[in-house]
Structures are given as structure tokens and as C-alpha cells.
Amino acid sequence: MIRLIGYFFGIGSVLFIFVAGAVAWYVERTAEGLPDYQVLAKYEPPVTTRVHASDGQLMAEYASQRRLFLPIQAIPDLVKNAFLSAEDKNFYSHPGIDIEGVGRAVMVLAKGGRMQGASTITQQVAKNFLLTNERTLDRKLKEAILSLRIEQAYSKDKILELYLNEIYLGMGSYGIAAAALAYFDKSVTELSVEEAAYLAALPKAPENYNPFRDYDRALDRRNWVIAQMTANGVIDQQEASAAKEKPIKVNPRPSGTYLASSQYFTEDVRREIVQRYGSKALYEGGLSVRTTLDPALQKEARAALQNALVAFDQQRGYRGPVTTIDIGSDWGAEVGKVEALADVPQWRLAVVLEANADRVSVGVQPRRAISGALDSQRDIGTIALSDMKWALRLDTRDQKGSVRSADQVLSRGDVVYVEKAGDGDGYLLRQPPKVQGALVAMEPETGRVRAMVGGFSYDQSEFNRASQAYRQPGSSFKPFVYSAALDNGYTPASVIMDGPVSLPDGNGGYWTPQNYGGGYAGPSTLRLGIEKSRNLMTVRLAKDMGMDLVAAYAERFGIYDHLKPYLPMALGAGETTVLRMVTAYSVIANGGRSIEPSLIDRVQDRYGRTVYKHDQRFCADCNTREYDGQAEPELVDERDQVLDPMTAYQITSMMEGVVQRGTATRVKALGVPVAGKTGTTNDEKDAWFVGFTPDLVCGVYLGYDNPQPMGHGATGGGLAAPVFIDFMKEALKGKKPVDFKVPEGMELIAVNRKTGMRASGSGPDVIMEAFKPGTGPADSYQIIGEDEIASGPGGGQISQQAEQAITQGAGGLF
């Protein structure tokens, strides 16, 4: 018997050794070629890039995976313990694997069951970072081996940090920081017990516990986590009971762009980041971008431009509905299918339910719930005839002319835009304008763009007319012609003949520019020429200087990369952008210093290191720790001086005259020192106004995307200047008026503004004119270009290339 026992023991021992050897061989073979867990030390997951306004407001987020990395020290204990209770309550005591759980999983597998998880947080880190999701014994063994190695190499806190930042928690969010924002629009430090428990319920299957799909299932899972937190001593019974009583209130944070008024600005920032650092850095690099945008100014800029575009468009009449639908039994569902302009929130789509002679009944498009479902409430409103009078002028494909009643304009089933009128159920009829425009506001000293609007609505058109649209600036270019003259021997009191000019056009004919409105003023000063925007004087001045000089100055200011030296270009026939024009005016406003326009103040990488800064001025002593009687530190400004500061003041003073006595007198309503210049192109196709105070430059442009006449009288002073006024009223609110600074050494002499001669006494035509040292009013009356009516060596004849830039006929630009 003993021998038999020994026999079986021997066989058992051999089998045990054999099995143990086989297991050891299997484990060793499986361990070969495992991923290198050391890469976890250099963990750099895709992180969201965030774009902020100058005051810190979030403007936009860009990410391939919405994730915000948080170090373990920044994660509240409540959140950590919620996840530990739900996923791995023994995390801080086990060696990386749960022996008991592994045993249960093996037993189930041995009985023919499905491979179970039994994964600790460390195993989930191993799987998520280094392995695949396949359910096989090989993968589970690799996971266990890697977990043991990870536990030996890293602290528990580091492992938990990796886990909490990597896990996918639904709604496009990776990691707990992004999930807290995605579900509750909160930071992790603001989460309540029930909110932390809900997030901790998600790692296993976030889509299964989506409250919009299966609220009861999500609630049960959350309450189970709360119970686990109670059992583990994280919260007491009273806290648990209170948390379980609360519903799951998901408040998703919107993705993409957060400041609707800044979408044109934000898109230009996005393109610049991609150009500088590449798409991967934008969508995965976790950059922090601080822009130059002032949200308050941006809001006012957009409102000023939108109001002007709508007002102009309504004067042209009603072009018809957005679309027409079959109302059916539920008009709300039908109109809900029509896509609205999301970035014009004050406008709503509505469908006409009934149209009478004096009023129209409309059903307003229902709003969408967080889940995407249409609200069940149906709001019905009224458009009175008095609130749609502008639409009585029809400009539709089928009908043009005027009508008298509302039912001749709108019909049942028409889908239109409406805007609330007061507190009742009344609405105003609206239509997205066909005419477009742009506005740019900039700090002249720094080039920081404080506001940028590229059109009526980004949802309507993503084309940015502030930075992408190249249009003729017309007379708003003239200050740079006059700057070149003032920089090269002329004075504001120099006299030029305002009379007919006729030049060969290179095709056997003649180019005959005219002043706006026709007529000639005869001999006039440079000041009067720019105040009244005289085309003929400008052509003569450019011809007298030579267009090569004018072209050089235009390029020096950054208006054009290369300007052909043809005389029509002196009237603004070359194409440029609003952003470039505002930058050029900023050079004049800051005293002649070159600037680079900037939408971005600084960029930091995911670790907070500054990788880009717009302000490149150097200050050697700004970081001195102690004050010992030394002089105040000074910023070293190494920017190029592209214009004499005295010239800059002279042209500024002349443009103040444009506002006081010239083509932009309505801008006087601002009641502060303002300089500026209007611009209008042939047939009133483009309307411009660029103006500035000592601290802010603003440029406005209006016109159609496909250039066409806007109608007689649609000038820069009539269309663009009012937008400037509306914006600047708000921008200057609460600020003290500031005078333009006169450079040291300039002499102010009383002159007659019409003749340019020295004046004595006072009168409506006597002004104080600024002269550089060694210059002054002329002692004798000299007229530039008195006898010239045709081309000469100074101007040259117009080539076929120049002809393409101007309009044929008696016109010219003005």
C-alpha cells in the first residue's frame, strides 16, 4: 500500500513538475516580446488645444481626442475614491493583479464560459496603453505580467494618474477633466458626490449608461457606485441617501467655438497655428493660445456691421423665403428640418401659417433639447404689416416692384427669419443680407487685432472678407500718396491744380479720371485735396513725384506686396485687404513705426512653456528684483521707422480735416479727436472708411462678394463711416478724449487752408498747419501741374496691365 502511494506520489510529482514546467515555459514564451512599459514614463497623450481671448474667455477647442491632462495632485480625493470604489477598491494594496479575481476568471473559462475581465486599474493601464482589447488567455497573461512590472516601476499615484487621464468616458471625452466639462460643464474640483459617482460608473461601457438613451440604467449604475463609496467609507450613509435622491442632470458643454461673434477671428487663428506648428500640434499638442481679441469690442463690432448690412439690404427689398415646406399635421417637425444660422441667435426660423392683408401668423422653429430632439412646445407669433414694410418692395425671381399687403409678400408654408419685437408675440421679418462687409480694429502701437468681423454670418459664409477678400480701396489709399509727398519735400500747404487730366490708356484711347460728382476746384492745397478726396489732384501729385516712389511707399506700409507703378494705382485701383489697410493706417497712427498685425499674443505648449510671443521688445532691467535708485527700465523698440514721425503727424492732421470739413463729417458726432479717410470705387462697388484715435484704428468695408454697383450715393462716407461711428461709440465709452501728439520740433503756423498762404487773424478758412523745421507756407503762389493735361515723363502712359485694374470710361476711382 505504501509502495502504491509512493508510486502515485511519484507520478503526481512528475506530472506537477511537467505542468509547472509547461506553465513556466508558456509564461516565459508569452513574456517574450512584450511592449516596453518604460514608455509610460514619457506618456504624452493627445491633448486638447484651447484658444482664449485676451481676458481669458474660452474661444475654441481643437482635439482629435477631447482630453485635458491633470496631474494626480490636482484631482480631488472624492473623484479618485469614486473611481477606486467602482473599479478597484484594493488598488493601493494589491501587487498589480487581483489573485482572487483571476482565479474566478480562470474557473469560468475552464468551465467553457467567456473570458472575464477581473482587471485591476493597473491591468487596465497595461491594456489601454500597451495591448489590444482581444479577449484571449494570451492577452490576459500578458496583461498580468505587464501589470506586475508596471507596479515595480511606478508609484501607485502615477499609475492612477495615467488611468484617470486616459480612459474614455463617452460624449467624445477622454480622461476625467474633459468628461467633467462634457457632462456637467464643470471642473473636477466642482463635482458633487452624485456627479463624481456617475463619471465613475462610465469606464466599463459609457454608451450603455448614457442618460439620454437609457436613463434608468444609468441611474442604477450611478447609485451602485454611490453604494460602493459608502461601503468603502468614502461617504457616510446620509450623504449617500441624499446623492441617490438627486437625478442625473447632464449639462453638456458645447464643443468647437464658444464665442459666436468671433468665428472669423478664431478660424484665422486656427489657420495660423496650423501654419506655424502643423495640424498634429493643433489637434493633439495641448497648446494654450492667448489671442489679442477683446470680446466686448468684438461683440460691438459684429453688431455694428450686422445692423448696417441688414439696413442696406432691406432698402433693396424682399428676395423671397428661405424655402417653402408642406406644413402637414406638425409644422414644428417640418420647419425643424430646415437649418438656421446658428451664429445669429437673435434670429429664428419660422413658417408662415396664415397670411392676411395686415398681418402674418407664423410658427417659430422649436428649439432642440440637449439630446438633439425637438422641443414639444409650439410657439406661434405674429408679424404685423408695420414690422415688414421694407418687404413690400419685392425683388424676387418672379416678381419685382411694390405691393401693398402682407399676403402679397408671404404665403402659407414660406420659411423665413424672424426676430422678437418686444415682450409680446410680435416678430420682425428678417432676411440674411446679400451685401457683405468686414471690420478690423487694431491697437496702433502693437498691431494687436482687438476685433475682426469677416461678414454677416460665419454660418452663412466662411469666407473672411477682413483677411481674405482683396478689393480696391479707392480713395482710402490716398493718404499714402500724400504721405510719400510730405516725406519728400511737399507740405500740407503745397498747392496743386485741380483740373482735367487725360492720359493715353495704351489701347489707342484715353483715361480721363474725374472727381466724384464732377467739377474742378482749381488750385488747391494738399490738405483740401485729401479733405475733399480730389482724384485729379492726387493723379497730378503722383505724376509729379513719380509712381515709382508711390509704389515704394505702398509696399513699405505693407498695403501691397508689389504695386505696379501706374497712375490709376494712385487712386486705389490695386487690390488689398481690410487687415492690410488697417495695419498701414496704424503705422501712421503710431508715429511711423512698422508693425506686424497679430491675432495671437502668445502660445504655450502642454507644459506651460512659452513657444511664441508677439511682443519682441527687449527690456534688460525689467526683471531686477530690487530698487536701488536706478532709472526706470525701458523697452527697446527695434522696429523700423517707415515714415518720418513729423510726416505721420501732418497726414494725421490732414485726415482730421476729412472728419471736420471733408467727406466724413458725420464722424464728428463722436466728439473726440478722430482722423480718417473715406474710400469709394467705380460705380459704388466698394465702400470704405478707415479711421483712428491715438489708441485705436478701425477699418470698415462694405460690398458684394461678386462686385456690383450698390447704388448711387453708396459711398464710404454714407455706408462705411456710420459703421465706424457705431463701433467707436462703444469702444470709446467711459474713456477720456486723447489728442494726437505733436512731435517735438514741429511748428504750427496759421495759414489759409484754401490758398496755403500765411494768414493773420482768424476766420473759417484759417487753420493751424503743421510744418517741419526749415519749411513753412510758401512766400509766393506756386501751383503744381498748372499746365499739364496729358502724360509726361513723370507718369508714363498706362499699360494694358494697368487698364485691367481700372474701369473704362469717364470714371476713375474716388
Side-chain angles (χ1 to χ4, degrees):
M1 185 68 181
I2 294 176
R3 183 183 297 175
L4 185 61
I5 292 173
Y7 174 76
F8 282 115
F9 179 77
I11 292 175
S13 298
V14 171
L15 286 174
F16 175 78
I17 293 171
F18 177 78
V19 171
V23 170
W25 173 83
Y26 175 65
V27 170
E28 183 178 358
R29 183 184 66 83
T30 304
E32 291 177 356
L34 282 176
D36 182 9
Y37 61 89
Q38 299 289 350
V39 298
L40 299 180
K42 300 177 182 178
Y43 172 62
E44 286 191 351
V47 179
T48 301
T49 287
R50 310 184 88 194
V51 180
H52 295 86
S54 62
D55 66 353
Q57 286 191 55
L58 183 64
M59 293 171 59
E61 294 180 324
Y62 300 100
S64 58
Q65 297 179 0
R66 292 180 65 185
R67 177 188 284 106
L68 299 172
F69 185 84
L70 280 182
I72 193 67
Q73 296 86 352
I75 302 173
D77 289 340
L78 173 66
V79 176
K80 288 189 284 190
N81 289 325
F83 277 85
L84 292 176
S85 296
E87 293 294 313
D88 189 358
K89 66 179 181 179
N90 297 319
F91 172 71
Y92 277 97
S93 59
H94 65 59
I97 60 175
D98 183 351
I99 304 299
E100 182 181 344
V102 171
R104 286 196 305 270
V106 171
M107 291 298 294
V108 170
L109 183 63
K111 293 177 181 179
R114 192 178 171 204
M115 176 64 68
Q116 293 184 343
S119 293
T120 64
I121 282 178
T122 311
Q123 287 176 274
Q124 291 184 58
V125 168
K127 179 187 72 173
N128 292 339
F129 285 88
L130 305 171
L131 299 171
T132 65
N133 287 322
E134 61 179 337
R135 289 177 173 271
T136 65
L137 187 59
D138 267 6
R139 203 270 294 162
K140 290 299 293 183
L141 182 57
K142 291 177 181 179
E143 183 183 288
I145 295 170
L146 282 171
S147 297
L148 293 171
R149 292 179 178 179
I150 289 170
E151 289 273 351
Q152 292 175 346
Y154 303 104
S155 68
K156 288 286 188 178
D157 281 349
K158 179 64 177 177
I159 296 168
L160 185 59
E161 177 184 270
L162 293 170
Y163 172 75
L164 292 176
N165 281 288
E166 178 68 17
I167 49 174
Y168 178 67
L169 295 172
M171 291 187 67
S173 58
Y174 292 79
I176 55 168
L181 290 171
Y183 284 95
F184 304 113
D185 198 12
K186 292 181 177 181
S187 69
V188 291
T189 58
E190 298 173 309
L191 294 176
S192 62
V193 171
E194 65 274 10
E195 290 167 343
Y198 175 70
L199 294 184
L202 296 172
K204 285 285 190 289
E207 301 307 323
N208 292 344
Y209 303 119
N210 186 321
F212 299 125
R213 296 179 183 174
D214 195 335
Y215 181 84
D216 291 338
R217 191 175 184 183
L219 186 66
D220 288 345
R221 178 67 180 176
R222 185 205 69 176
N223 289 346
W224 176 84
V225 175
I226 292 173
Q228 294 300 111
M229 293 171 69
T230 308
N232 294 331
V234 177
I235 57 175
D236 59 33
Q237 190 60 53
Q238 185 177 356
E239 290 175 302
S241 298
K244 288 181 179 180
E245 289 296 321
K246 295 178 181 178
I248 299 175
K249 290 185 177 180
V250 175
N251 178 32
R253 185 180 195 140
S255 59
T257 302
Y258 298 94
L259 288 176
S261 64
S262 70
Q263 285 177 285
Y264 287 107
F265 188 105
T266 304
E267 174 58 17
D268 271 18
V269 170
R270 187 197 68 81
R271 282 200 297 266
E272 184 174 341
I273 293 296
V274 170
Q275 184 178 11
R276 284 180 179 274
Y277 307 109
S279 294
K280 186 173 182 181
L282 175 69
Y283 292 102
E284 299 182 7
L287 302 175
S288 174
V289 182
R290 179 61 64 96
T291 71
T292 61
L293 184 86
D294 182 322
L297 291 183
Q298 178 69 22
K299 180 180 177 182
E300 299 302 335
R302 188 167 189 253
L305 183 64
Q306 282 187 333
N307 292 339
L309 295 176
V310 169
F312 177 86
D313 187 72
Q314 288 184 350
Q315 293 172 10
R316 270 64 195 163
Y318 178 66
R319 294 188 300 277
V322 175
T323 187
T324 302
I325 62 174
D326 183 4
I327 294 177
S329 59
D330 183 5
W331 58 262
E334 292 304 313
V335 74
K337 297 175 183 177
V338 183
E339 191 171 347
L341 298 176
D343 62 340
V344 190
Q346 67 271 29
W347 287 16
R348 302 276 299 279
L349 281 175
V351 59
V352 176
L353 302 178
E354 183 181 1
N356 299 312
D358 61 346
R359 65 184 55 247
V360 175
S361 175
V362 294
V364 182
Q365 185 182 63
R367 298 190 185 277
R368 291 193 178 275
I370 295 171
S371 62
L374 284 173
D375 194 328
S376 59
Q377 182 177 339
R378 299 291 182 261
D379 294 331
I380 296 177
T382 301
I383 305 175
L385 181 63
S386 59
D387 290 328
M388 54 176 288
K389 274 191 173 181
W390 64 269
L392 297 180
R393 178 179 179 179
L394 299 178
D395 188 22
T396 66
R397 182 179 299 177
D398 302 324
Q399 188 176 0
K400 297 186 184 298
S402 298
V403 295
R404 293 177 176 272
S405 62
D407 55 2
Q408 291 177 287
V409 179
L410 299 176
S411 303
R412 179 177 169 84
D414 284 353
V415 177
V416 295
Y417 279 100
V418 296
E419 182 178 4
K420 206 84 168 71
D423 298 327
D425 66 350
Y427 286 88
L428 308 172
L429 179 64
R430 297 298 192 205
Q431 77 178 354
K434 186 178 179 182
V435 69
Q436 289 291 347
L439 184 152
V440 174
M442 179 182 290
E443 286 181 358
E445 292 294 334
T446 63
R448 299 172 72 230
V449 177
R450 306 298 273 155
M452 174 192 284
V453 187
F456 175 75
S457 161
Y458 188 81
D459 281 0
Q460 180 192 35
S461 168
E462 296 180 7
F463 181 61
N464 189 340
R465 296 152 192 87
S467 61
Q468 294 177 305
Y470 280 79
R471 303 299 291 264
Q472 294 178 338
S475 292
S476 62
F477 176 72
K478 287 177 183 174
F480 305 100
V481 178
Y482 284 74
S483 292
L486 294 170
D487 230 16
N488 288 274
Y490 298 79
T491 75
S494 297
V495 177
I496 300 177
M497 174 60 69
D498 181 17
V501 171
S502 186
L503 297 166
D505 64 9
N507 294 318
Y510 286 86
W511 174 57
T512 308
Q514 293 183 356
N515 291 322
Y516 184 60
Y520 318 103
S524 303
T525 62
L526 260 65
R527 170 177 286 278
L528 192 144
I530 201 166
E531 287 181 356
K532 301 299 184 181
S533 198
R534 298 291 186 181
N535 290 337
L536 302 176
M537 291 177 64
T538 305
V539 171
R540 275 194 169 85
L541 180 63
K543 184 173 180 293
D544 190 64
M545 288 187 292
M547 270 305 296
D548 286 334
L549 181 64
V550 174
Y553 269 76
E555 293 165 18
R556 184 188 299 181
F557 277 93
I559 301 171
Y560 305 105
D561 293 328
H562 181 64
L563 181 66
K564 297 291 185 182
Y566 306 132
L567 281 173
M569 300 301 181
L571 300 181
E575 294 180 337
T576 188
T577 68
V578 179
L579 181 59
R580 284 188 170 215
M581 286 295 288
V582 170
T583 303
Y585 272 75
S586 293
V587 172
I588 294 175
N590 72 25
R593 288 243 181 222
S594 171
I595 59 170
E596 285 291 329
S598 178
L599 307 181
I600 300 173
D601 274 336
R602 62 112 178 98
V603 179
Q604 292 176 316
D605 65 15
R606 66 170 71 207
Y607 303 108
R609 296 177 300 215
T610 298
V611 295
Y612 167 79
K613 186 172 67 171
H614 169 64
D615 191 346
Q616 297 296 320
R617 291 175 296 175
F618 174 70
C619 180
D621 301 319
C622 283
N623 294 323
T624 302
R625 293 181 177 274
E626 298 180 1
Y627 177 70
D628 191 24
Q630 68 268 35
E632 291 184 6
E634 293 185 1
L635 289 171
V636 179
D637 192 346
E638 297 181 343
R639 294 176 298 176
D640 293 335
Q641 190 77 41
V642 299
L643 187 68
D644 185 328
M646 293 187 178
T647 299
Y649 178 76
Q650 287 178 317
I651 194 66
T652 296
S653 176
M654 292 163 69
M655 285 193 283
E656 282 188 275
V658 173
V659 173
Q660 295 300 317
R661 298 172 293 274
T663 56
T665 53
R666 65 176 62 201
V667 178
K668 284 195 295 185
L670 289 174
V672 299
V674 181
K677 184 69 188 74
T678 55
T680 312
T681 58
N682 277 328
D683 301 323
E684 287 98 349
K685 292 178 181 177
D686 306 280
W688 292 72
F689 184 78
V690 188
F692 57 94
T693 64
D695 300 318
L696 190 66
V697 181
C698 174
V700 179
Y701 154 79
L702 281 81
Y704 290 100
D705 285 344
N706 295 316
Q708 64 187 69
M710 292 188 288
H712 183 68
T715 63
L719 287 183
V723 180
F724 174 87
I725 295 169
D726 290 345
F727 169 71
M728 292 297 282
K729 277 182 181 177
E730 298 302 322
L732 298 173
K733 189 175 288 184
K735 297 181 180 179
K736 293 182 179 180
V738 180
D739 289 318
F740 293 102
K741 185 178 179 180
V742 181
E744 187 176 347
M746 291 210 79
E747 188 175 2
L748 298 179
I749 301 175
V751 301
N752 184 300
R753 68 182 183 88
K754 291 183 177 179
T755 66
M757 304 293 287
R758 190 182 297 268
S760 58
S762 61
D765 293 331
V766 176
I767 62 169
M768 298 302 293
E769 195 66 86
F771 292 92
K772 299 175 183 177
T775 68
D779 295 328
S780 60
Y781 200 56
Q782 298 177 346
I783 303 173
I784 300 170
E786 183 174 9
D787 299 322
E788 293 180 351
I789 60 171
S791 64
Q797 72 176 22
I798 301 172
S799 73
Q800 292 183 1
Q801 286 178 292
E803 178 60 28
Q804 295 174 2
I806 64 175
T807 301
Q808 290 282 353
L813 297 149
F814 45 83

